[in-house]
Amino acid sequence: MPTTHAYAAMNAKDPLKPFQIERREPGVHDVEIDIHFCGVCHSDIHQARNEWGQSTFPLVPGHEIAGKVSRVGSGVTKFKVGDSVGVGCFVDSCRHCDMCQENLQQYCSNQISFTYNSTEKDGKTPTFGGYSTKIVVDENYVLHIPASLPLDKAAPLLCAGITTYSPLRHWKIKKGDKVAVVGLGGLGHMAVKLAAAMGAEVSVLSTSENKKADALRLGASHFINTKDPKVFKQYANHFDFMINTASGNIQIDHYLNLLKYDSTMVVLGVPEEPYQLGAFPLIGNRRHIAGSHIGGIKETQEMLDFCATHNIACDIELIPINKINEAYERTIKGDVRYRFVIDMSSLKNS
Ligand code: NAP
Ligand code: ZN
Ligand code: ZN
């Protein structure tokens, strides 16, 4: 198979640069995808810079992949050439553990193959992500992108969309629930749109006052600037549920105090440093703190269909691949409205 153009981090310090990778010839159950767009998740940055201490280099990031099927293996039944498809954060899993059987592949208790910075099912071939022109994936780990969703604005649904949809469903968010979203970035803006579509009364808790108008436009009813310490008194015991998407460290005790009795904060953000958590905010009001990791294949398809039904897609800034390092710097500063998406035709032509 022809060599595939990509962009890679060669180590944790230097900017990403052009790189070439080999993709496998599509096997019997494989789908080959011509990647049109790939979202830029903050997890790409954490891993390209080895902030979680688990990166192997060269590392080709990207797990918000949208494109068109270019070839299918002889045994493929779910896709045909030309279909609009997506690939999210993982490209395989063991398929037989309890978690895989329950369509919760993201919690596979044996071996999950993440889309990048991981290995294929053989446990040794490195996986390379979506900052590339083509990818080959088993059809069971590929999603249908509904025709009404534009591919560029749909790409970030494959991570930011499912990561926020899954906890909203798991904790059964319903009409009238007071939901707080901490951090208005890629995940946060999807949490606002999805929770609002489920009928929740959404508040954005942000450190960026200049995102207020956007928060309200995206579907929030309230905007709370967390740089003002008074808000932590004003909104104490106020929320039924909180989605914490902050990519940096927050004083988590202060935020927990904003939850009502018996309510939950779900942690989605993965800051480099661990949280400092005191016991009082938890025991005082029988509050819960939980985590959630992306979503399974079945739920990801359900989320894409939900987005199509509710006319929801991501707010994006489309960039050519050579702007990727600048996009990383802007994302780190919280200066993203609200997801950078790479136009992969810029890589084909580079
Ligand atoms: P993003 O677009 O950079 O958004 C993060 C937002 O968090 C920022 O825009 C900022 O919003 C807020 N923030 C950043 N540092 C903060 C700090 N020190 N204190 C308070 N707020 C802060 O990032 P993303 O792509 O949405 O990802 C968010 C986090 O989720 C990352 O850590 C990522 O690795 C993680 N993640 C987890 C999963 C999962 O499965 N659990 C999946 C994907 C991503 P304001 O300007 O509004 O304050
Ligand atoms: Zn992600
Ligand atoms: Zn499994």
Side-chain angles (χ1 to χ4, degrees), residues 234-251:
Q234 192 183 342
Y235 291 94
N237 307 312
H238 185 79
F239 296 107
D240 297 298
F241 188 62
M242 187 178 288
I243 293 195
N244 170 9
T245 77
S247 53
N249 219 318
I250 58 171
Q251 239 178 317

Side-chain angles (χ1 to χ4, degrees), residues 67-68 80 82-86 143-154 157 301 304-309 311-313:
K68 299 263 187 190
K80 59 180 188 324
D83 282 356
S84 294
V85 291
L143 287 308
H144 285 282
I145 297 186
S148 64
L149 295 176
L151 279 185
D152 53 353
K153 296 183 176 66
L157 297 176
Q301 190 62 60
L304 288 165
D305 297 341
F306 179 93
C307 288
T309 304
N311 210 8
I312 292 174

Side-chain angles (χ1 to χ4, degrees), residues 247-261:
S247 53
N249 219 318
I250 58 171
Q251 239 178 317
I252 204 155
D253 298 24
H254 292 183
Y255 289 79
L256 280 168
N257 275 325
L258 306 183
L259 288 170
K260 284 182 190 166
Y261 163 76

Side-chain angles (χ1 to χ4, degrees), residues 42-43 46 184 186-187 206-208 211 245 268 270 292 294 339:
H42 207 118
S43 301
H46 290 307
L184 195 63
L187 266 57
S206 170
T207 59
S208 309
K211 294 180 182 171
T245 77
L268 300 180
V270 192
S292 185
I294 42 181
R339 196 55 132 193

Side-chain angles (χ1 to χ4, degrees), residues 123-140:
K124 47 179 198 257
T125 310
T127 55
F128 292 118
Y131 297 6
S132 59
T133 48
K134 282 199 186 278
I135 192 166
V136 177
V137 181
D138 184 288
E139 65 168 334
N140 293 303

Side-chain angles (χ1 to χ4, degrees), residues 1 22 32 40 46 102 136 144 296 326 345:
M1 128 165 277
E22 297 289 328
E32 182 195 69
V40 178
H46 290 307
E102 285 182 38
V136 177
H144 285 282
E326 201 179 298
S345 63

